[in-house]
């Protein structure tokens, strides 16, 4: 992917994030995203085949910007179940306020918007996986 394509993709993701937070529960259309990113709707579809793909990519983009991987590394480095639980609570306690706008937007429309529902389920699957790992570590430690 060329640097120009990467830049356009990033503009699309940033515009989607901003619109999700601004509209807080109202559907964000591809046309709205294109306009906010300063490109055509066809250009959005060039980078993302579907709205579902774009919303899932946006949640991953938010995680990247907010360095969720760095936060998770501290959780992974914990050696006991109690340490893992403490790191998990610390991470999510600080992270949720940062992603509240996107989460609220997805929750508000997910019952009637398949793309938002898919994006929400994708993120919750990742959270559940780490919760299971934390509980298993606590069980191992007794």
């Amino acid at each position: 992917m060329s640097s120009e394509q990467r830049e356009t993709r990033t503009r699309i993701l940033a515009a989607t994030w901003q619109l999700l937070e601004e509209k807080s529960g109202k559907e964000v259309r591809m046309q709205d995203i294109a306009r906010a990113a300063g490109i055509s709707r066809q250009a959005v579809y060039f980078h993302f085949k579907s709205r579902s793909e774009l919303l899932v990519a946006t949640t991953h983009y938010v995680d990247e910007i907010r360095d969720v991987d760095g936060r998770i590394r501290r959780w992974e480095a914990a050696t006991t179940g109690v340490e893992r639980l403490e790191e998990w609570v610390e991470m999510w306690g600080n992270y949720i306020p940062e992603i509240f706008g996107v989460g609220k937007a997805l929750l508000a429309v997910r019952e009637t918007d398949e793309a938002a529902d898919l994006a929400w389920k994708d993120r919750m699957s990742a959270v559940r996986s780490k919760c299971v790992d934390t509980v298993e570590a606590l069980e191992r430690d007794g």
Side-chain angles (χ1 to χ4, degrees), residues 12-120:
I12 295 166
L13 293 168
T16 305
W17 181 8
Q18 179 181 351
L19 287 172
L20 284 170
E21 290 191 341
E22 284 175 4
K23 293 197 174 211
S24 188
K26 296 185 178 96
E27 184 179 354
V28 176
R29 301 172 305 162
M30 296 297 259
Q31 178 180 343
D32 302 327
I33 294 163
R35 190 176 303 118
I39 60 174
S40 70
R41 195 168 63 109
Q42 290 77 12
V44 175
Y45 280 107
F46 172 78
H47 290 276
F48 302 95
K49 291 178 177 62
S50 68
R51 192 166 164 279
S52 297
E53 183 181 320
L54 173 56
L55 291 180
V56 170
T58 300
T59 62
H60 289 275
Y61 172 74
V62 171
D63 284 350
E64 180 184 332
I65 296 299
R66 298 294 188 193
D67 190 30
V68 77
D69 288 343
R71 297 170 190 224
I72 288 174
R73 278 193 291 279
R74 288 192 297 275
W75 169 84
E76 290 172 333
T79 57
T80 70
V82 171
E83 287 175 1
R84 277 204 161 189
L85 178 61
E86 288 171 349
E87 287 297 331
W88 192 245
V89 169
E90 174 76 20
M91 184 212 144
W92 276 103
N94 289 319
Y95 193 55
I96 288 172
E98 295 176 24
I99 60 168
F100 181 75
V102 171
K104 182 178 174 186
L106 294 175
L107 273 173
V109 298
R110 70 182 282 243
E111 287 188 28
T112 58
D113 184 330
E114 187 177 327
D117 188 49
L118 180 63
W120 178 260

